[in-house]
Amino acid sequence: MADSNFPRVHVGEWAESILDWLTTNAAGLFDAIKMATGWLVESLDSVLLAPTPIVVIIVVTALAWLVRSWQFAIATALGFALVASMDQWHNAMLTLSLVIIAVVVAVIIAVPIGIAAARSDGVSTAIRPLLDFMQTMPAFVYLIPAIIFFGVGAVPGVFATVIFSLPPGVRFTELGIRQVDSETVEAGAAFGATQSQILRGIQIPLAIPTIMAGITQVIMLALSMAVIAGMVGADGLGKEVVSAISTQNIPQGVEAGLGVVVLAIFLDRVSVALGNSGDYPSSLYRLIRKRLQRS
């Protein structure tokens, strides 16, 4: 029964018809995506879970010191040790692999679209409503087509995570390139540089801090969606949280949640440091560079 005098518009049924058509006519494509994504996730799972936690903790600690500071390195070691001590290591590595795969795919798609939008007002105008739609649609809705196309497991989790986390990568890439000083671009053109050379040699390098800020947003959204993906059977911390909610298991939920926090802080700080390396003079990279410049 209608709630008003307006005629009933069957948007939901139309969307269902589109999904049915895609499922019927693009089944081969979805099978190929499922096979490739599943292989990537399983391979990265194997890489992250093959060494002992001590080895992984040493690697992430070294990375934290290399790009940021020794203080952050200590915090990283303590955080990952806490994850291992809570017996959430296996789940944390599964979540980390899902996030890494989703972020890599999202960045591969988002950066070229952002570049195209920065260089064409028409492209920017065309994709802006789509990005608004993708960012405002509730995250849970993305799980519906993901399940229809790929069933349950890690693959629909990656699919939904890519769709949900992609818009900031496009927006920040476009913003970063548009903010490059026009006189610098004109100077490059005056020296005979082609549009491709200006893009690769001037615009992208100067836009890197903004692009990395966008990638940081992609990582954070991917991590939040990876937790929600636990509802469709994606193994990891998200599945632990969903299980804790359904069984009202407070310790399980708190420990899985803390694991997510540790991963979020580590990925956020590392990605920010990679985009603004000059802001961290105590990083191992900066110290080595100073030593080499003096010698």
Side-chain angles (χ1 to χ4, degrees):
M1 180 178 179
D3 295 332
S4 67
N5 294 323
F6 290 99
R8 178 73 166 90
V9 179
H10 299 276
V11 176
E13 284 77 3
W14 298 342
E16 183 181 20
S17 299
I18 293 173
L19 292 178
D20 289 341
W21 185 88
L22 288 172
T23 304
T24 303
N25 295 280
L29 174 63
F30 294 129
D31 288 342
I33 294 174
K34 182 177 181 179
M35 185 179 300
T37 306
W39 179 82
L40 286 173
V41 172
E42 291 176 4
S43 299
L44 190 54
D45 287 347
S46 301
V47 170
L48 292 175
L49 292 171
T52 63
I54 293 294
V55 174
V56 178
I57 290 174
I58 292 173
V59 171
V60 295
T61 301
L63 177 61
W65 188 15
L66 181 67
V67 302
R68 199 172 177 99
S69 65
W70 63 267
Q71 295 94 331
F72 179 57
I74 293 175
T76 298
L78 293 176
F80 277 79
L82 175 64
V83 172
S85 67
M86 292 188 300
D87 201 22
Q88 292 291 340
W89 185 263
H90 185 86
N91 293 319
M93 293 301 103
L94 295 179
T95 298
L96 184 60
S97 67
L98 191 152
V99 170
I100 290 174
I101 296 295
V103 168
V104 169
V105 174
V107 170
I108 290 174
I109 297 172
V111 171
I113 296 176
I115 292 172
R119 306 184 73 172
S120 169
D121 291 337
V123 174
S124 178
T125 302
I127 65 171
R128 200 170 298 157
L130 179 61
L131 296 176
D132 292 340
F133 174 84
M134 293 169 67
Q135 282 192 292
T136 52
M137 178 65 73
F140 290 95
V141 177
Y142 293 120
L143 297 178
I144 299 172
I147 293 175
I148 293 174
F149 294 150
F150 306 109
V152 297
V155 177
V158 172
F159 174 82
T161 303
V162 169
I163 299 298
F164 182 66
S165 62
L166 191 145
V170 178
R171 292 187 189 279
F172 276 76
T173 301
E174 179 186 358
L175 178 65
I177 293 178
R178 285 185 180 275
Q179 285 181 333
V180 174
D181 185 31
S182 60
E183 293 184 358
T184 305
V185 176
E186 291 173 1
F191 279 99
T194 64
Q195 289 296 318
S196 176
Q197 290 172 328
I198 291 173
L199 177 65
R200 288 184 281 107
I202 298 175
Q203 291 177 312
I204 290 181
L206 292 177
I208 282 295
T210 306
I211 294 174
M212 287 304 299
I215 293 176
T216 300
Q217 293 295 314
V218 171
I219 292 172
M220 292 299 102
L221 290 177
L223 193 54
S224 65
M225 189 64 192
V227 174
I228 297 174
M231 298 181 65
V232 295
D235 292 329
L237 295 170
K239 196 172 184 178
E240 288 291 295
V241 172
V242 172
S243 174
I245 292 173
S246 61
T247 60
Q248 299 184 4
N249 189 330
I250 294 176
Q252 183 184 11
V254 171
E255 292 176 355
L258 282 175
V260 174
V261 170
V262 170
L263 290 181
I265 292 175
F266 173 75
L267 294 173
D268 175 67
R269 301 297 189 271
V270 168
S271 60
V272 169
L274 288 174
N276 302 280
S277 60
D279 294 343
Y280 303 98
S282 61
S283 68
L284 186 59
Y285 169 73
R286 299 284 294 180
L287 295 175
I288 293 174
R289 191 174 177 181
K290 286 181 181 177
R291 182 70 60 87
L292 293 175
Q293 288 175 343
R294 289 174 183 171
S295 60

